[in-house]
Amino acid sequence: MSVNPDHNLQTSATDSSGAKLPRHVAFIMDGNGRWATARGLPRTEGHRQGLEALRKVIRHAGKVGIDVITIYSFSSENWSRPEAEVSFLMGLLRRFVQRDLSELHEANVKIRIIGGRRDLEPGILKLLKEAEDLTRNNSGLELVVAFNYGARDEILRAAQALAQKVADGVFNPEDVTEDALSGELDTSGLPDPDLIIRTSGEMRLSNFLLWQAAYSEFYFCDLLWPDFDEAAFDQALDCFGARERRYGGVSAKTF
Ligand code: IPE
Ligand code: IPE
Ligand code: MG
């Protein structure tokens, strides 16, 4: 896989045609199972094909000049799936890191993992740490992988960290501000997602980035994730370019 290595984090908010470009795009990669079932294949085959779609998306994001992409790869609720599917997904993560990590590193991609780490198997933890450590100083596309991620769990952990600071006397209750809470989230330091894309026709967040999505634009498409490609990505970006973000204000057009 090749990603544009010269991608600059300080890129402007427009593409070469002058259209507004999101700085951070988050993906809820949904529909792998249905893709496979529709073809009479086991659900795991959908996950395998989904990884191909992900490779396309990472490459394309680097090419068009997006700063950050977040991918929902495994939710804190996905452990409730059949054991065989969960273990296949863990194997896929392992293979992704083993096969793609060096290439992502060469492409100057910086990897960050978000999600709970406490009960993860040591082998998986080591893999995640290796991906982050190797790419820590890269300055290109930032790839945020939401693994064992649940937004309520993330917010709870942040609230507990702040409560601990108050209990220790390091913080007063009034120091618990939006910035202080944001700073304790796994996404600390990242810009909020400008655009959240969910495939497969489902229109919900499924416990993804609940805090960070306060002013995100949403894009839902019927394509199943393994069918999502560069053209579909461009369509979502075009749609974003035509949106007007008001943040509670009034339209510039009304003046
Ligand atoms: C998304 O596809 C991948 C993960 C949640 C890991 P699904 O596996 O949810 O596919 P559907 O929604 O059952 O079709
Ligand atoms: C959300 O998809 C999680 C990921 C894409 C990793 P799900 O398929 O798990 O969500 P629900 O169950 O349809 O809400
Ligand atoms: Mg699903």
Side-chain angles (χ1 to χ4, degrees):
M1 174 176 29
S2 65
V3 183
N4 179 8
D6 299 324
H7 173 61
N8 178 357
L9 257 182
Q10 300 307 317
T11 186
S12 71
T14 55
D15 67 13
S16 51
S17 67
K20 267 185 294 163
L21 199 63
R23 189 171 167 207
H24 179 178
V25 184
F27 293 91
I28 303 176
M29 312 184 289
D30 200 13
N32 292 350
R34 279 164 281 168
W35 184 93
T37 306
R39 286 162 179 76
L41 299 168
R43 288 176 56 85
T44 48
E45 197 48 43
H47 296 313
R48 203 194 304 276
Q49 283 302 320
L51 181 55
E52 294 304 322
L54 173 62
R55 290 185 172 118
K56 283 185 203 165
V57 160
I58 296 172
R59 221 180 288 131
H60 200 58
K63 203 164 134 200
V64 301
I66 286 162
D67 289 347
V68 185
I69 64 170
T70 297
I71 53 162
Y72 206 178
S73 71
F74 193 84
S75 78
S76 47
E77 286 75 35
N78 287 148
W79 296 106
S80 66
R81 294 189 177 203
E83 211 181 303
E85 182 169 343
V86 170
S87 90
F88 183 88
L89 286 166
M90 295 303 132
L92 205 60
L93 174 77
R94 207 167 284 130
R95 284 200 294 281
F96 176 63
V97 175
Q98 282 158 357
R99 281 194 205 154
D100 292 19
L101 183 59
S102 59
E103 223 176 303
L104 289 167
H105 180 46
E106 269 168 45
N108 200 19
V109 172
K110 179 176 180 171
I111 299 175
R112 173 151 165 184
I113 319 285
I114 59 170
R117 303 251 175 138
R118 213 168 39 195
D119 298 322
L120 291 183
E121 188 203 299
I124 294 279
L125 265 177
K126 189 166 165 273
L127 215 64
L128 303 181
K129 215 175 147 331
E130 184 192 334
E132 283 186 323
D133 288 347
L134 180 70
T135 63
R136 189 172 307 281
N137 297 317
N138 288 348
S139 57
L141 174 74
E142 187 148 8
L143 172 63
V144 182
V145 181
F147 177 77
N148 187 33
Y149 178 87
R152 286 186 171 183
D153 169 66
E154 180 193 34
I155 294 167
L156 259 181
R157 284 187 281 109
Q160 283 168 356
L162 291 177
Q164 190 62 54
K165 284 187 178 171
V166 174
D168 293 346
V170 185
F171 252 39
N172 291 315
E174 58 271 24
D175 296 327
V176 180
T177 59
E178 280 195 20
D179 282 350
L181 197 126
S182 292
E184 294 292 346
L185 295 173
D186 298 345
T187 51
S188 164
L190 290 170
D192 285 342
D194 300 293
L195 174 64
I196 298 182
I197 297 174
R198 183 169 188 152
T199 54
S200 87
E202 307 293 358
M203 298 184 193
R204 56 178 171 266
L205 274 177
S206 302
N207 205 9
F208 189 47
L209 303 177
L210 298 183
W211 173 276
Q212 300 87 340
Y215 272 103
S216 300
E217 296 294 325
F218 290 87
Y219 182 86
F220 298 104
C221 73
D222 288 334
L223 283 177
L224 301 172
W225 178 254
D227 292 327
F228 194 85
D229 59 9
E230 294 87 346
F233 195 171
D234 282 339
Q235 219 173 325
L237 293 175
D238 285 349
C239 183
F240 175 85
R243 303 264 179 101
E244 187 189 17
R245 304 177 80 186
R246 291 193 284 279
Y247 300 99
V250 290
S251 170
K253 291 176 197 133
T254 62
F255 286 115

